[in-house]
Amino acid sequence: MGRFTLQSRIDCGDRTTSVALLEIRELSIRYRTAGAGVQAIDGVSLELEAGGSLGLVGESGCGKSTLALATLRLLPPQAELAGTIRFAGQDVGGMKERQLRQIRWRRAAYVPQSAQNALVPVHSLRAQFRATAAAHRMRATEADRRAAALMRRVELDPALLERFPHELSGGMRQRAIIAMALLFEPELLVADEPTTGLDVIVQRQTVNLLRDLRAERNLALLFISHDIGVVAELCERIAVLYAGRVMETGATADVLGSPSHPYTIGLRRSFPDIRDPERPAVSIAGHPPRLAEALAACPFAPRCPFAQPVCVAVQPPLVAIAEGHAAACHFAGDAAAMRSAANRPGLWDGARAA
Amino acid sequence: MAFWRYAGRRGLHTAVTLLLLVGFMFVLFRMIPGDPTTMMLGTGELPAEAQQRLRVLWGLDRPLWQQFIAYALNLLQGNLGMSFYFRRPVSEVIAPMLANTVLLMAPVVILAIVIGVAGGSWLGWRRGGRAEEIGAVLALIPRALPVFWTGIVLLALFAYQFRWFPIGGIREAFFFPENWWQRLPFFDITRHLVLPVATGVLASVADPLMIQRTALLEVRHEDFMVLARARGLSGRAQRRLARRNAILPVLTYSAIMVGFAFGGQVLLEVVFNWPGIGRLMVDSVTQRDYPVAQAAFLMMAAVVVFLNLLVDLAYGWLDPRIRGG
Ligand SMILES: Nc1ncnc2c1ncn2[C@@H]1O[C@H](COP(=O)(O)OP(=O)(O)O)[C@@H](O)[C@H]1O
Ligand code: SF4
Ligand SMILES: [Mg+2]
């Protein structure tokens, strides 16, 4: 299985170990602003294998979109980047625009957060498929042929290709973008909250569609959502992001089965559980910190019910708890105790120790 | 299909607007004290009996609404009455002047918009740079200056000093071409057009330019522009996309601009001695040539209404979202 092209790429590269499709090392991203700037991503390392799936969860403002855009170097000019991003072994950070164009959409496609305004309002869908094709030297006839097939694949009538974005519903637009994303059979799909803002039924359809596409095309998926339940359904691995840092990461079953960071524990409780529908959803009181300000050593400390004085003094490192499962909490070793304490009523509404 | 329905609706609006306009002009000119029988001779020295005969002859004794219908019917046939001053049918007086005005105004408006859109897009894409600041200031200076001042400066420089262009008017009474390019058709008229067109463009280019610049800055941050990059579109294709989406506010503005252009047009025609309808309007008011004045006003307003229709149609053509509602 897998991509033979990728294999050959690895062979002629200077690395001999197996190379992840997407490899992010110590990535930090800062937006220059009128004030002190915004540290949107702070020392994040992630990996995604070819054909694999990684879910990025976290509340709004945690830096998820910033990370998604960074993978394809789509950030606005005021964003400063440190660390490395490698796609199929190539350093994306050092690429010229011309080289980036070889990767963008052809090998890595992107489904943006707001399908609302992501399609060009003044062009028909067909025109947008064709423009995408033309950017990669694909003929219009070939583009038309593929567009019709892909529209059918995402269960849209190919006749809709003649329509303009405003004539479609939000769910249809979302599907049209997914169809367009498949135009060149990419190896990676970065989907930034593709289900946000859609109603429950359409959300479900989108999740099912992405799952089926992944299976049938060996598509690697970087899936972003604030909804931990949706991520659990689609992704083999999860990274929980808070204030631009990874709080916990590991196989989905491990992270959700035995969450070892208070933020993950809280986040999981704030969405209804399909396996335990009786349990009420309790949200974590407070808001994620504004990233323009200096953070506590553990950024979650101001909202954490288990916080101790050490939490504001010493930054907790991301340490392994088990094989392939890590958390950035001083008390990750006592995770079992925190998990059982988490059921105490009232724990999450504004409690803070320290 | 949707476009043609939209065009039909717009056309209907225009027809109604024109009708209201004609009515308004009619009433406006009836509100001027006296009537044509007194105005024609200036001071009303006509014997009362002769005046009364003329009134009956011209239908001025009939109710106003009947007069209006007669007026509107005449208008439809292109009959605008007789000029008191020229003693010729108004339509004959006005037609060439109207053509001259359009000849001057069309290039001014088109060039101002084309240059404004191109320049504004360029500035917007280079946001924050030195070139952008300088460009914006350069465009704003002539906008702040009075049209007649700019016109006179251009005349002093390029007509009197360098003698590159004629001082005014629309063509030389006796023009003898000296070489092949002077023999080209329209050479003389084009030569006369340069300075007034330049003045008009200088005065009016800043607004479309700044609007396009702002619109482009906004469009650059739209999600579809981010997706355009993600789709791998080239820099050129991205810029074209931004320009295409940013052009709509300029288009809205150009409808307003056309209206304002007429104000500037009158000044242009006076400064450059251009035999257009703006100057005719000024002259006819001073000469109390009231049928000509009324027709000139009407023509100007009608041109604005028609240009607005054109802009609306272009908008519907360029923005599929407009056609619906
Ligand atoms: N262009 C920008 N300029 C400055 N700050 C930005 C910009 N884009 C995002 N941010 C800030 O970066 C942080 C992370 O934003 P984002 O990546 O959109 O988070 P998420 O997708 O998780 O909601 C937020 O605090 C946001 O305000
Ligand atoms: S380090 Fe302290 S504050 Fe941070 S999550 Fe763990 S217990 Fe809470
Ligand atoms: Mg986001």
Side-chain angles (χ1 to χ4, degrees):
Chain A
M1 268 193 80
R3 302 252 155 192
F4 302 109
T5 50
L6 178 65
Q7 211 54 52
S8 61
R9 232 173 274 274
I10 293 163
D11 290 343
C12 49
D14 47 6
R15 294 176 60 122
T16 44
T17 51
S18 91
V19 174
L21 180 64
L22 182 67
E23 186 189 354
I24 294 170
R25 284 276 160 266
E26 286 301 319
L27 181 67
S28 292
I29 298 167
R30 184 175 188 79
Y31 289 108
R32 267 176 280 132
T33 59
V38 175
Q39 190 70 45
I41 293 291
D42 188 4
V44 167
S45 298
L46 294 170
E47 258 183 37
L48 178 57
E49 305 300 321
S53 54
L54 174 65
L56 223 51
V57 268
E59 287 161 292
S60 177
C62 285
K64 304 184 297 295
S65 297
T66 303
L67 191 59
L69 290 169
T71 57
L72 287 166
R73 283 262 309 274
L74 294 169
L75 290 167
Q78 66 268 29
E80 290 167 349
L81 220 124
T84 52
I85 302 168
R86 287 176 168 272
F87 179 81
Q90 298 168 276
D91 179 19
V92 174
M95 281 188 190
K96 298 230 171 6
E97 197 69 9
R98 198 172 45 81
Q99 295 167 295
L100 287 167
R101 284 186 58 208
Q102 305 284 320
I103 290 184
R104 288 178 183 158
W105 219 257
R106 220 176 230 290
R107 302 185 61 191
Y110 165 72
V111 176
Q113 175 158 2
S114 148
Q116 207 68 322
N117 196 23
L119 289 165
V120 180
V122 299
H123 290 153
S124 69
L125 288 185
R126 183 180 301 288
Q128 303 192 42
F129 268 96
R130 283 185 180 176
T132 314
H136 301 278
R137 297 171 188 276
M138 183 193 272
R139 290 233 206 93
T141 47
E142 176 67 5
D144 285 351
R145 197 182 60 75
R146 289 201 191 184
L150 289 169
M151 289 290 274
R152 270 186 227 107
R153 177 60 195 88
V154 299
E155 283 161 32
L156 286 177
D157 183 354
L160 292 179
L161 283 169
E162 313 309 327
R163 299 293 188 87
F164 292 92
H166 75 277
E167 297 175 304
L168 309 178
S169 71
M172 287 160 122
R173 277 197 289 260
Q174 185 64 264
R175 276 154 185 274
I177 294 176
I178 293 174
M180 206 186 290
L182 301 173
L183 192 59
F184 299 105
E185 310 251 336
E187 293 143 69
L188 171 66
L189 185 67
V190 179
D192 188 354
E193 309 225 21
T195 56
T196 307
L198 302 177
D199 68 63
V200 185
I201 296 167
V202 183
Q203 252 184 38
R204 176 114 310 276
Q205 290 170 344
T206 309
V207 169
N208 290 343
L209 175 65
L210 285 174
R211 194 178 42 214
D212 297 348
L213 287 174
R214 228 173 73 60
E216 83 197 32
R217 291 173 198 238
N218 190 34
L219 186 65
L221 181 66
L222 178 61
F223 184 86
I224 292 168
S225 180
H226 64 273
D227 185 336
I228 204 164
V230 174
V231 174
E233 265 186 82
L234 265 174
C235 302
E236 295 146 6
R237 298 183 61 79
I238 283 191
V240 180
L241 217 58
Y242 190 77
R245 297 183 198 167
V246 175
M247 295 289 111
E248 182 165 2
T249 176
T252 304
D254 294 340
V255 173
L256 295 188
S258 48
S260 302
H261 190 287
Y263 182 56
T264 318
I265 297 171
L267 202 60
R268 210 171 68 93
R269 298 186 59 82
S270 60
F271 287 93
D273 189 342
I274 347 163
R275 283 158 297 186
D276 184 8
E278 297 298 300
R279 180 178 64 75
V282 182
S283 58
I284 311 168
H287 300 281
R290 300 195 26 223
L291 299 177
E293 291 153 11
L295 301 177
C298 171
F300 190 53
R303 299 167 75 192
C304 180
F306 307 108
Q308 299 295 321
V310 64
C311 303
V312 287
V314 182
Q315 180 171 342
L318 188 66
V319 288
I321 317 152
E323 176 69 34
H325 185 185
C329 171
H330 289 304
F331 307 106
D334 302 332
M338 289 196 286
R339 282 196 295 273
S340 56
N343 292 322
R344 257 191 352 243
L347 186 73
W348 297 96
D349 28 284
R352 45 175 305 176
Chain B
M1 191 53 225
F3 175 75
W4 292 112
R5 235 179 302 129
Y6 167 82
R9 254 190 339 259
R10 284 287 126 199
L12 203 67
H13 279 198
T14 303
V16 172
T17 311
L18 279 178
L19 191 69
L20 288 175
L21 184 73
V22 169
F24 177 73
M25 286 294 174
F26 179 80
V27 171
L28 192 72
F29 275 82
R30 287 308 123 114
M31 272 160 47
I32 299 170
D35 67 28
T37 59
T38 54
M39 283 183 206
M40 195 172 174
L41 297 170
T43 44
E45 282 161 12
L46 210 63
E49 191 197 330
Q51 217 177 338
Q52 189 53 37
R53 269 217 309 279
L54 267 182
R55 280 216 178 89
V56 174
L57 187 68
W58 289 346
L60 291 172
D61 57 332
R62 280 184 272 157
L64 207 58
W65 65 269
Q66 281 185 13
Q67 289 184 40
F68 177 70
I69 288 176
Y71 171 73
L73 286 178
N74 275 327
L75 203 60
L76 274 181
Q77 293 158 10
N79 182 0
L80 292 157
M82 290 291 281
S83 159
F84 297 160
Y85 181 81
F86 296 99
R87 306 273 160 194
R88 279 193 297 143
V90 170
S91 49
E92 264 177 42
V93 175
I94 272 195
M97 305 284 182
L98 189 65
N100 290 346
T101 288
V102 171
L103 187 70
L104 174 54
M105 208 171 135
V108 167
V109 170
I110 291 169
L111 281 177
I113 290 175
V114 168
I115 295 173
V117 165
S121 301
W122 192 84
L123 291 181
W125 204 259
R126 271 160 199 75
R127 162 207 45 180
R130 190 60 172 274
E132 193 212 350
E133 277 170 40
I134 296 172
V137 171
L138 279 185
L140 283 170
I141 289 174
R143 177 182 184 268
L145 303 171
V147 171
F148 66 85
W149 191 88
T150 315
I152 287 170
V153 168
L154 289 189
L155 275 176
L157 265 179
F158 299 106
Y160 286 96
Q161 195 64 36
F162 300 137
R163 297 179 178 277
W164 291 349
F165 299 105
I167 297 162
I170 187 166
R171 62 173 70 83
E172 232 62 64
F174 303 99
F175 179 65
F176 303 107
E178 287 164 8
N179 47 41
W180 66 268
W181 48 273
Q182 292 196 352
R183 230 169 267 127
L184 288 177
F186 310 116
F187 170 79
D188 193 35
I189 274 199
T190 310
R191 204 166 58 120
H192 282 82
L193 264 172
V194 172
L195 288 185
V197 166
T199 308
V201 170
L202 277 176
S204 49
V205 76
D207 284 334
L209 186 124
M210 296 313 274
I211 289 172
Q212 176 76 11
R213 174 180 157 274
T214 311
L216 200 101
L217 283 176
E218 277 167 19
V219 162
R220 285 189 71 175
H221 299 295
E222 297 278 4
D223 294 334
F224 63 80
M225 287 307 297
V226 176
L227 197 70
R229 283 176 74 204
R231 282 157 60 204
L233 263 58
S234 67
R236 230 178 105 223
Q238 288 176 46
R239 280 196 293 278
R240 200 170 59 213
L241 195 62
R243 227 183 303 133
R244 171 69 173 77
N245 279 278
I247 208 166
L248 298 168
V250 172
L251 212 57
T252 311
Y253 165 78
S254 58
I256 304 166
M257 176 174 143
V258 163
F260 280 118
F262 262 116
Q265 179 74 15
V266 175
L267 291 172
L268 274 186
E269 290 182 3
V270 171
V271 172
F272 290 95
N273 203 24
W274 190 264
I277 208 159
R279 228 185 62 196
L280 178 70
M281 200 163 77
V282 175
D283 290 347
S284 61
V285 169
T286 35
Q287 288 150 356
R288 311 196 70 198
D289 192 350
Y290 131 83
V292 170
Q294 181 172 4
F297 274 113
L298 194 64
M299 284 305 138
M300 277 213 168
V303 169
V304 172
V305 171
F306 271 116
L307 287 175
N308 266 294
L309 174 66
L310 277 187
V311 167
D312 275 355
L313 292 183
Y315 211 119
W317 187 255
L318 288 173
D319 188 350
R321 288 165 294 188
I322 298 295
R323 294 170 208 161

